[in-house]
Amino acid sequence: MAIDKEAIKEHVRGILVALGDDPDREGLKETPDRVARMYEEVFEGMNYSNHEIAQKFSKTFEDDLSVKDHKDMVIVKDIDIFSYCEHHMALMYDMKVSVAYLPKDKVLGLSKIARICDMVGKRLQLQERIGSDIAEIIMEVSGSEDVAVYIEGCHSCMSARGIKKQNAKTVTTTLRGAFDTDSTLKWHFMMQAGK
């Protein structure tokens, strides 16, 4: 389903009126259009299922690999992303994602891991679901059941409103396969991903 920019413009204009402002004044005339274009960009991931994201970023390398019989961990850490909380549509920011997997017959292009994280963040989300979605997509692309995702981030629904705790960070871990069952592997991942 494509993002309906015209509906967004109409509703943003209505919000401006509901806030008691004049959407026709100089500073706000183009705001509905700017917000609609911004939403089209920052919510791009809503246009794709996890399977479609996996297909979009499925570049792998299979030739000349000697990892088939080994349990070597690949980890890409501190991938910057942002997202929007589905409860308040508030920004989740300063998010750092670390992704690890154990290759099984092939390895992923490293930039594809970052692109997967970025696209998953471009949805109305929960931080917990971001980790699960990334893990599901990495599992599909890599063919490996052994995937781990560590995310640390700040939530403006906690820092800018309500409780207003500016220094609070949320940490989530998603562990699949051997990362969930092998305590040594889990420890190695957490030592690399965590601070």
Side-chain angles (χ1 to χ4, degrees):
M1 182 175 112
I3 293 172
D4 186 344
K5 285 181 13 181
E6 291 306 312
I8 293 169
K9 285 195 259 188
E10 178 185 330
H11 291 290
V12 169
R13 182 176 173 79
I15 289 169
L16 293 171
V17 170
L19 290 171
D21 214 324
D22 176 7
D24 294 318
R25 73 175 172 83
E26 185 62 34
L28 295 178
K29 277 184 192 174
E30 296 176 21
T31 296
D33 183 58
R34 283 192 294 267
V35 172
R37 285 185 282 121
M38 179 188 79
Y39 278 7
E40 185 176 48
E41 178 183 342
V42 301
F43 294 128
E44 179 186 4
M46 295 179 75
N47 293 315
Y48 305 103
S49 67
N50 284 351
H51 176 67
E52 290 168 330
I53 293 172
Q55 290 179 319
K56 188 174 177 69
F57 302 118
S58 62
K59 180 66 176 171
T60 59
F61 301 93
E62 299 180 38
D63 54 331
D64 297 322
L65 293 177
S66 60
V67 297
K68 292 180 183 176
D69 298 321
H70 300 283
K71 290 288 185 185
D72 295 337
M73 176 174 53
V74 175
I75 183 168
V76 179
K77 58 188 278 190
D78 296 333
I79 301 166
D80 294 314
I81 70 165
F82 68 88
S83 192
Y84 288 84
C85 164
E86 68 181 30
H87 297 144
H88 298 97
M89 293 183 70
L91 184 64
M92 292 188 271
Y93 60 97
D94 288 343
M95 297 182 85
K96 300 275 188 203
V97 180
S98 296
V99 177
Y101 74 102
L102 301 181
K104 183 179 178 184
D105 301 327
K106 56 187 174 181
V107 294
L108 280 70
L110 296 176
S111 70
K112 301 307 183 243
I113 296 172
R115 291 178 191 280
I116 288 166
C117 294
D118 191 57
M119 190 63 73
V120 167
K122 290 182 174 183
R123 297 170 167 170
L124 290 173
Q125 277 286 23
L126 300 173
Q127 185 168 319
E128 300 88 339
R129 190 182 314 117
I130 293 171
S132 294
D133 287 350
I134 291 169
E136 179 182 317
I137 295 165
I138 297 292
M139 289 167 66
E140 181 175 340
V141 175
S142 70
S144 174
E145 296 177 0
D146 307 316
V147 176
V149 181
Y150 175 96
I151 305 173
E152 183 177 295
C154 299
H155 296 240
S156 60
C157 59
M158 271 188 65
S159 63
R161 58 157 302 280
I163 192 71
K164 295 183 181 154
K165 297 299 180 192
Q166 288 81 16
N167 295 317
K169 291 187 178 184
T170 300
V171 174
T172 54
T173 56
T174 304
L175 305 171
R176 302 289 185 263
F179 286 98
D180 191 35
T181 59
D182 183 331
S183 59
T184 302
L185 184 62
K186 183 187 309 184
W187 180 83
H188 281 290
F189 169 67
M190 295 304 294
M191 291 301 294
Q192 289 295 316
K195 303 293 184 240

